Amino acid sequence: MTEEDSSAKMSEDVERYLKLNPPCSSSSSSSAVAFANKSGTFKSSSPPCPEHVLENVLESVLQFLTSRCDRNAVSLVCKSWYRVEAQTRFEVFIGNCYSLSPARLTHRFKGLRSIVLKGKPRFADFNLMPPNWGAQFAPWVVATAKAYPWLEKVHLKRMFVTDDDLALLADSFPGFKELTLVCCEGFGTSGIAVVANKCRQLKVLDLVESEVTDDEVDWISCFPEGESPLESLSFDCVESPINFNALEGLVVRSPFLKKLRTNRFVSLEELHRLMVRAPQLTSLGTGSFSPDNAPQGEQLPDYAAAFLACKSIVCLSGFREFRPEYLLAISPVCANLTSLNFSYANISPHMLNPIIRNCHNIRVFWALDSIRDEGLQAVAATCKELRELRIFPFDPREDSEGPVSGVGLQAISEGCRKLESILYFCQRMTNEAVTAMSENCPQLTVFRLCIMGRHRPDHVTGKPMDDGFGAIVKNCKKLTRLAVSGLLTDEAFSYIGEYGKLIRTLSVAFAGNSDKALRYVLEGCPKLQKLEIRDSPFGDAGLRSGMHRYCNMRFVWLSSCVLSLGGCRDVAQALPNVVVEVFGSDGDDDDDTVTGDYVETLYLYRSLDGPRKDAPKFVTIL
Amino acid sequence: MEGCPRNREIGPKLLDLIPQGRKWYQEDKNNTDQEKKLELRLGPPGGDEEDHSAIKKKNTEIRNIKKETEDKSFHCFNGNHFSPSNKTTSVPHISQKRTAPGPVVGWPPVRSFRKNLASTSSSKLGNESSHGGQINKSDDGEKQVETKKEGMFVKINMDGVPIGRKVDLNAYNSYEQLSFVVDKLFRGLLAAQRDISDGQGEEKSIIGLLDGKGEFTLTYEDNEGDKMLVGDVPWQMFVSSVKRLRVIKSSEISSALTFGCSKQEKMMH
């Protein structure tokens, strides 16, 4: 609907409503009088409360408000607006599953269709959190199953989801359409099978970077017969073989399928068959990109022709076990590609060149550092539309070779001026290169640099990396997410505090000299929501300096710093709306802990419903 | 970035840690003393005239107790924190030379499924431009069936050392490597303990962990709860059944392994 259509429709609604429920002529409300004048005709019957008029209008207006920030603002105007907003909110986003209880959610919102839930903090991905810490989906699925029978969409990130949870979900929501599980664990192929089988309206089943146990269930065969409404099916993270014939059959009967991300158990020949069946695909995860080794008597399939036929492909990923000699088969789609993910493929600059030089429209590029500075220069030369770059380490150890450096970073900054987001792993870096990026790429909102050697200075000047990161926060005025690394003194943090006024997420590791650094950040960054710090010399004084902020932040994580139990307790006692958890890295309460006072990990977050009841034994809630 | 003073003195004398009007924390001239009191230490108190870099290093060391880092600075725990004769100097970390540091938990911050790319078949290809299209097709006849190799961290304790550590067994391929790592992990700690108790304080290698000839022997507890000597079964079988490790005094082998052990015959070497 265009804006004019919608406002026209709205005033029609208002008029129709008023004709049925004309306001009383003796009403003192000026707005009621205004309505009366506009509609022209009214009868003198008993009027409804003007509030009802307003609420109805508000409902009509609010349906166009989708941004949750706007909706949150609306809900604060007055009780009436709060009520109407709650009735009309269909999508809810919960950034920390422990910030409220499921009961509170179901009490406030009565008509939810879509839920986004996030659980564990990001450092849990790196083994910094013991297993069984929490973030279970179970209480949420139980509560929402009762409250929202018309729920259509569930999107979970870093949650613990069991097969039983998935079964309950599949049973409880007849209109269920979209399931996305990102970085989740606790379930297996049997849970997926139930969802596939029972959710007859399923359009989206996306398993992204999740751990899926192999229960040896042929889940692909569990999709019901007949035409399928599937639009997106991603299972590239599933580390178990699949029934290819069943997959092919499913693809054949899914005319709306646009996104298909296969896992590494799908060979190149099988991929070819799928592509022939589904030329309408826009996003393709290519699986292994390696042929079966059964020797083929017949002619090899024409892979390039298959790519040529799939004119709509704009996004390619996979290449889990790729063979270089087949890589050029993707050439026909290169010019149309907006997103290319080579981050599982050990691709050399020599292999990259013929491909990347046709990728003029690429906006998102993920790769391994195997492409080297040379490959990055090739990207910089061609990919003028690049918005997001991620370079992962092929060999993620601290002292590995390091084929990318400031040279590549600087080249990218000079060639890709529209860059908005970068994640860059390297072994060595210079302030000069980082500063160049800050000057050449003013659109940067996300800057994450990981110099893998801890405490590494600028490898040319030997100085700390303070100036480089300082330039980033100073020049990139739209920066909302920052991850720092290398040798950093308190000065770097003074820059962050001084210039990082829009920063919402900050990641710090092995950096800083003293509590001053933490204080600069906590006092200087008013938008800071998520702070994750490890192995830095920050103690109780630094922690205390953020007391005024913690109620307004999603979470703070401090691990392997210099915190004491007393200092953490002070925070807990001063801020009743903040839950303060402390735990060790071990996950059980052994005789291993050094002293009773040392805090290995502090994780604090605001909560409306107090400390959680499901904390395991190794977690102490202060 | 000019104009930002680099204040490297001890103690933020001029700094007011709290905004006006709030008294979360008593700010006074003894701020640094209070901060220092909160710092954890091992070793003799007092005599702290170090600058910030040393304080940072001290903090690093304190943290290092709980981590599997192989920073040589670790070995400063010999009753003499910053003796220049040590393997590292007390000059700030810029000149710290780390020789083959061991794995630190979760660093670099790369998710587990991205960690073992070197071991998949694609590693045999690529980055060799001379190969071009001539990749030998004779390599993986079967698809490698790897599960996602996460770091397999098991706890390891040592008799006489109160602090436990963790080792990533997936990082090693043999008992010799494991033995080497155990030596590196505990050598300094053990020396620190001995220094504290009887003033010896020198470091000795921990050797002979596997053959019963050293002062210490490496044992483990498997998934059935049995305590066994390390080294009897093939490495992969060991890795798949081990739950935790313990370095015990060789003199106490028989008593240490008796409890709950039904495989005593294995112990007789």
Side-chain angles (χ1 to χ4, degrees), chain A residues 569-610:
Chain A
R569 211 169 253 136
D570 288 348
V571 174
Q573 279 164 4
L575 301 175
N577 287 335
V578 169
V579 174
V580 178
E581 296 192 11
V582 302
F583 47 90
S585 58
D586 300 332
D588 53 34
D589 37 12
D590 255 27
D591 48 1
D592 278 355
T593 47
V594 181
T595 65
D597 201 40
Y598 174 73
V599 166
E600 168 88 51
T601 304
L602 163 78
Y603 179 54
L604 64 79
Y605 50 89
R606 64 183 166 201
S607 173
L608 293 172
D609 289 309

Side-chain angles (χ1 to χ4, degrees), chain A residues 125-126 209 211 264 293 322 343-344 351 399 452 512 519 523 534 560 588 590 592 598 600, chain B residues 6 17 22 40 56 63 66-67 101 105-107 111 113-114 125-126 140 146 150 155 157 244:
Chain A
D125 291 348
F126 313 123
E209 295 183 5
E211 226 182 281
R264 62 181 180 86
N293 284 42
F322 85 109
S343 67
Y344 289 97
M351 288 176 214
D399 286 331
M452 289 190 279
R519 185 175 59 83
E523 288 183 357
R534 61 168 295 182
S560 300
D588 53 34
D590 255 27
D592 278 355
Y598 174 73
E600 168 88 51
Chain B
R6 295 194 65 134
L17 281 183
R22 293 202 186 189
L40 286 179
K56 177 186 193 314
R63 288 197 303 285
K66 297 280 285 176
K67 311 228 68 99
V105 177
W107 188 263
R111 294 211 189 105
F113 52 81
R114 288 197 181 279
L125 326 163
D140 34 294
E146 312 108 15
E150 302 198 333
K155 285 203 264 214
N157 288 76
R244 52 187 307 167

Side-chain angles (χ1 to χ4, degrees), chain B residues 245-258:
Chain B
L245 294 160
R246 191 163 193 94
V247 181
I248 61 173
K249 286 211 157 70
S250 301
S251 52
E252 289 171 20
I253 286 182
S254 49
S255 57
L257 298 174
T258 304

Side-chain angles (χ1 to χ4, degrees), chain A residues 191-203:
Chain A
I192 299 301
V194 177
V195 172
N197 185 254
K198 295 206 173 160
C199 300
R200 302 268 152 158
Q201 309 211 26
L202 197 66
K203 294 203 292 191

Side-chain angles (χ1 to χ4, degrees), chain A residues 257-274:
Chain A
L257 193 67
K258 289 283 191 289
K259 181 161 128 182
L260 177 64
R261 304 228 167 141
T262 62
N263 67 8
R264 62 181 180 86
F265 292 90
V266 171
S267 70
L268 198 47
E269 293 96 337
E270 291 169 341
L271 182 73
H272 179 261
R273 279 162 64 178
L274 294 175

